[in-house]
Structures are given as C-alpha cells and as structure tokens.
Amino acid sequence: SDNDTDNAIAAPGELLAVIKARRSIFPKDYTGELVQRAHLETMLEASNWAPTHGKTEPWRFVVLEKDGIGRFFSVCSNAMKDQFGEESEKFKAYQAKQEKSKKDKSKSTYIVAICMKRKTLPDKLMPEWEEVAATSCAVQNMHLMATSLGVASYWSSGGPLDHPLVLDMLKLNEDGDRCLGLFYVGICTPGKTEGYRKGARRGAYADKVTWFSA
C-alpha cells in the first residue's frame, strides 16, 4: 500500500550502495531505448522531497520529449543568434556543436530543464543560494532514483539558458527565475554503465572532514 511505501526506510547499506553507484552517464552512450514514463514520474516524485528552507519548494522541471526537444534547441539557437549575431564565431561554434551532438540528443527519451523559481511565496524571499541548493538537492534525489531504476542520466550546463527567449519558453518569467541546466534521461547498457562505475574515484572522506571536540 502507499502507506507501507511511505513508512519503509532503506537499510543504510542499501542506501549507501545506491549513492556510490550513481554516475553521470553521457548521452552518447545511451542506446536509444525508451525510458518508461512511469520511471521518470517516480524520479520526479523523488525530486519533490528535497530539503527546502522556508518551505518554498523552488524547483521546477520542464520535461522535453519527442519534437519538444528539437523545438527547445531551436529556441536556444535563436537565442545565441540574438545575443552574438549570425556571423559571430560564438554562434557558428554553437551551431557546429549542436549539429555534432544531434545524434546523442536523439538517444535521450527525455531532456528535463532544471528550473528554479526565485520567489514561490508572496510573503517570503529566501537567499538565492539556498534556493539553488534546494533545487540541486532535488536533482540529486532524481539522479539517485534513476540509479535505483536502472536509468541513465546526466546534468548538463552551458548554452544560452539565461537568455530571455529560453526563459520565456520555460515560463521562467519572474525576476530572478533561472534555468540551472538540462538533465538528460536515457538507457545505457549494464556493461557500459559498469565501466563508468569502475572508472570513478573519490578521495577518502576523512581527508575532507575536520573534527572539533573541545
């Protein structure tokens, strides 16, 4: 039942295993197989339980799929043209990069725009860094659930995500609203995924912790 699910707590070892197995997997390594919509919805449900100071829940997600993906990147191209000019080196480089990555994008079932609303409550404005942090925690929740479901994902940044044309398409129309990146969602073979896991390294946590006891 839903109540049983709500009350179930993963064992510490199981949770740590999922956290340590999480990897950013590049779209070029996706198979093109479709991710079930139910899986994405479970990932989004997980994202919704991120910590949020002031209960502002600033995270917003715009799910791009099928022709919507092409439409979004067409708007991005127009934004780059508007910002730098059609003959500029920056615009030409962006177009070339988009053309090169077109096949990789086509392997993603969904591309999720990671958005942050600067002010969600009329009587409360939290520090911006807290809202960015809350949205980032929401993405981490989504990524961990993807790992548990066997779904590959990757948080990409860059591009004209702060341009008015892009913000308007994403309905980020209030002052301070931001798009913090794109979350690619697809399927990767178990063998390729394991290769990402074997290649990952972390320094010892103890080297990053200082203890004060007095």
Side-chain angles (χ1 to χ4, degrees), residues 11-12 22 44 56 70 72 76 86 99 120 140 147 149 156 166 170 174 187 195:
R22 184 210 59 79
L44 292 167
T56 56
F72 175 79
C76 287
E86 191 169 5
E99 189 62 32
T120 62
Q140 176 74 343
T147 302
L149 291 166
S156 170
V166 177
L170 299 175
E174 302 297 326
I187 297 293

Side-chain angles (χ1 to χ4, degrees), residues 138-211:
V139 175
Q140 176 74 343
N141 282 3
M142 184 161 57
H143 207 163
L144 291 173
M145 182 56 72
T147 302
S148 181
L149 291 166
V151 172
S153 51
Y154 175 72
W155 183 348
S156 170
S157 59
L161 301 181
D162 58 352
H163 191 281
L165 289 175
V166 177
L167 295 177
D168 184 63
M169 180 179 177
L170 299 175
K171 298 189 176 357
L172 297 172
N173 300 315
E174 302 297 326
D175 187 40
D177 290 354
R178 296 174 60 184
C179 178
L180 302 177
L182 303 173
F183 195 72
Y184 289 75
V185 179
I187 297 293
C188 186
T189 64
K192 183 75 74 172
T193 300
E194 191 56 33
Y196 274 87
R197 288 177 180 150
K198 287 182 177 178
R201 296 288 183 271
R202 292 290 189 276
Y205 82 86
D207 295 338
K208 302 155 190 168
V209 179
T210 301
W211 299 76

Side-chain angles (χ1 to χ4, degrees), residues 4 9 25 48-49 65-66 80 87 90-91 104 158 174 178 185 193 203:
D4 291 336
I9 301 296
I25 299 178
N48 199 43
W49 288 95
E65 60 176 329
K66 301 176 182 176
M80 289 293 288
E87 299 303 317
K90 283 194 175 183
F91 176 69
D104 294 342
E174 302 297 326
R178 296 174 60 184
V185 179
T193 300

Side-chain angles (χ1 to χ4, degrees), residues 81-92:
K81 185 191 300 184
D82 177 72
Q83 186 171 353
F84 297 108
E86 191 169 5
E87 299 303 317
S88 69
E89 290 303 316
K90 283 194 175 183
F91 176 69
K92 290 178 180 178

Side-chain angles (χ1 to χ4, degrees), residues 3-174:
N3 192 50
D4 291 336
T5 302
D6 291 343
N7 291 330
I9 301 296
E14 294 173 348
L15 179 57
L16 183 59
V18 172
I19 292 170
K20 292 173 75 171
R22 184 210 59 79
R23 292 292 179 274
S24 295
I25 299 178
F26 296 120
K28 69 180 180 63
D29 290 322
Y30 297 173
T31 64
E33 182 183 347
L34 297 181
V35 175
Q36 297 177 41
R37 177 170 175 149
H39 282 357
L40 180 63
E41 290 177 345
T42 300
M43 290 161 58
L44 292 167
E45 170 69 9
S47 77
N48 199 43
W49 288 95
T52 167
H53 189 195
K55 305 293 191 296
T56 56
E57 302 178 39
W59 51 84
R60 298 291 185 273
F61 299 105
V62 178
V63 179
L64 308 166
E65 60 176 329
K66 301 176 182 176
D67 291 344
I69 294 175
R71 180 186 162 210
F72 175 79
F73 284 104
S74 178
V75 170
C76 287
S77 291
N78 289 335
M80 289 293 288
K81 185 191 300 184
D82 177 72
Q83 186 171 353
F84 297 108
E86 191 169 5
E87 299 303 317
S88 69
E89 290 303 316
K90 283 194 175 183
F91 176 69
K92 290 178 180 178
Y94 179 81
Q95 288 293 85
K97 184 177 180 180
Q98 293 306 303
E99 189 62 32
K100 186 177 179 181
S101 64
K102 187 178 292 184
K103 183 179 178 182
D104 294 342
K105 291 189 183 74
S106 71
K107 296 178 181 179
S108 301
T109 307
Y110 306 103
I111 300 177
V112 183
I114 302 164
C115 305
M116 183 205 79
K117 293 293 290 181
R118 183 67 187 93
K119 188 175 183 180
T120 62
L121 302 176
D123 59 342
K124 192 175 292 185
L125 183 66
M126 308 305 294
E128 184 186 37
W129 77 265
E130 293 188 1
E131 304 298 60
V132 172
T135 303
S136 299
C137 287
V139 175
Q140 176 74 343
N141 282 3
M142 184 161 57
H143 207 163
L144 291 173
M145 182 56 72
T147 302
S148 181
L149 291 166
V151 172
S153 51
Y154 175 72
W155 183 348
S156 170
S157 59
L161 301 181
D162 58 352
H163 191 281
L165 289 175
V166 177
L167 295 177
D168 184 63
M169 180 179 177
L170 299 175
K171 298 189 176 357
L172 297 172
N173 300 315
E174 302 297 326

